[in-house]
Amino acid sequence: MNEELIRISEDLPAWLWNVLLILFAILLGIAIKVVLIPLVRKEAIAQSSYSLFRSFIRRFNRLLSILIPLLVFNSLLPVARFNAQALLIAAKITEVLLIVCFAMVFIKSINVLEDYLYHRFDINKENNLRERKIQTQIVFIRKLLVAVIIVFSIAIILLSFDNMRKIGAGLLTGVVIGGIIIGFAAQKSLGNLLAGFQIAFTQPIRLDDVLIVEGEWGKVEEINLTYVVVNIWDKRRLVLPIQYFIDKPFQNWTRTTAEILGTVFIYTDFTVPVQQLRDKLTSLLNGHTLWDGQVAVLQVTELKERTMELRCLMSCRNAGQAFDLRCYIREQMIEYIRTSFPESLSKTRVVFDNNHS
């Protein structure tokens, strides 16, 4: 086969033969992709919810457009009619591009595995504690593996150049020494990275956990190698170093379960009929979609100089629903007191003594 190609190449100008090889590699890569992708897409359509084939198409579609022509061109390099210097340059460029592509293949494969695990442990359910725990570990491990793949790929590329070989070898063998040096130079960054390991496996926080941190209520949106992003209720993003969650106290409302008790405090006059308010709370919660039907309690929790403190306690499936239900109960209870017992709203008493007037 090679001898036949060499014989044909000798009948054509060198530049034309090289152009034909490049075009052949590109066209063959496109042809393989045109045949392969529809077959995979057909299997993906046949599967309803999650599809490994659909995930493969989404992750590898663009990469295959580069990888397949590169592999074909690399296999045809022995029959190319470059001069010695041009052949060396072409081979080196192809080698570097293949290293980059195969690094991307490993990264995309990790992404495909991540898609499967996300489907297997779906957090879109009411009690998703186990799923959030596993997804938190998945995200951290994926980011760590991607960083390792990138470092090793750069080292392999450097090792492929004679004048860069020492640098590449140093990059591979000097990780420990470099880590010590970096540790002294950037102790906070290293501390954040180690804190990331601790959080990924001990898990004081997880993805989608509801936190009270720095006086703000929000959900954990991202856990990166060195920082955490908390999505505040008003759509602001609070970005904190991951070490923060090791060193400082914070509230985690969903540490052991997604279920949560919602609390509403109401301050009224001493004359308010507590039992009627208790009955009203029960009627408001019965049949409400946000209430899980387990806890509905109204109690007098404090008597102050001028007011009586009532606490409405209700259970919900998750923190987001608890927030909405608390707002609803707060509005309805105040409206009920205002219309039914206006004289029992919180007020300050002033007594005039006519004997001294």
Side-chain angles (χ1 to χ4, degrees), residues 62-293:
R62 294 182 179 179
L63 181 59
L64 290 177
S65 301
I66 301 173
L67 178 59
I68 296 175
L70 269 176
L71 290 173
V72 175
F73 181 72
N74 186 62
S75 64
L76 294 177
L77 269 179
V79 297
R81 292 176 58 189
F82 293 108
N83 58 45
Q85 185 177 2
L87 181 61
L88 183 63
I89 294 173
K92 186 57 66 177
I93 291 174
T94 305
E95 181 184 358
V96 170
L97 291 177
L98 282 174
I99 293 171
V100 173
C101 284
F102 278 112
M104 290 302 300
V105 167
F106 283 116
I107 292 173
K108 297 296 184 182
S109 299
I110 293 172
N111 293 142
V112 171
L113 178 60
E114 183 183 30
D115 291 340
Y116 168 74
L117 293 174
Y118 272 23
H119 168 72
R120 177 68 178 80
F121 303 100
D122 187 13
I123 63 173
N124 295 318
K125 54 192 293 190
E126 290 179 0
N127 193 359
N128 56 6
L129 179 66
R130 178 169 175 261
E131 286 73 15
R132 290 187 291 110
K133 176 180 178 181
I134 293 174
Q135 284 201 14
T136 300
Q137 294 174 341
I138 291 170
V139 169
F140 188 83
I141 292 172
R142 186 253 300 168
K143 291 180 178 179
L144 183 63
L145 288 177
V146 169
V148 171
I149 290 171
I150 292 173
V151 170
F152 272 87
S153 298
I154 293 173
I156 292 171
I157 291 172
L158 293 175
L159 286 171
S160 67
F161 294 92
D162 292 336
N163 54 349
M164 294 288 187
R165 190 160 294 167
K166 291 183 179 180
I167 298 176
L171 185 61
L172 287 175
T173 59
V175 172
V176 176
I177 298 175
I180 295 173
I181 295 173
I182 293 173
F184 282 111
Q187 293 183 26
K188 287 187 177 180
S189 297
L190 185 60
N192 281 327
L193 183 61
L194 295 176
F197 278 103
Q198 186 174 347
I199 283 177
F201 293 98
T202 62
Q203 298 199 332
I205 60 171
R206 290 173 293 267
L207 288 173
D208 211 40
D209 262 347
V210 177
L211 308 180
I212 301 293
V213 58
E214 294 291 308
E216 301 282 3
W217 183 96
K219 288 187 176 183
V220 178
E221 186 175 59
E222 297 179 31
I223 299 179
N224 295 293
L225 293 179
T226 56
Y227 65 92
V228 174
V229 179
V230 179
N231 186 354
I232 306 302
W233 63 272
D234 58 0
K235 302 303 180 183
R236 289 176 293 139
R237 300 305 193 269
L238 183 63
V239 181
L240 296 165
I242 205 165
Q243 185 71 34
Y244 178 97
F245 296 94
I246 303 297
D247 295 339
K248 296 186 178 181
F250 60 92
Q251 295 182 41
N252 188 337
W253 287 12
T254 52
R255 177 69 180 88
T256 57
T257 178
E259 297 175 356
I260 193 169
L261 292 178
T263 305
V264 172
F265 288 100
I266 302 173
Y267 296 92
T268 67
D269 190 65
F270 302 109
T271 60
V272 72
V274 176
Q275 184 57 46
Q276 292 186 43
L277 294 185
R278 187 175 289 120
D279 295 339
K280 180 62 177 178
L281 174 65
T282 302
S283 66
L284 288 172
L285 290 176
N286 280 333
H288 199 288
T289 56
L290 297 180
W291 185 51
D292 66 2

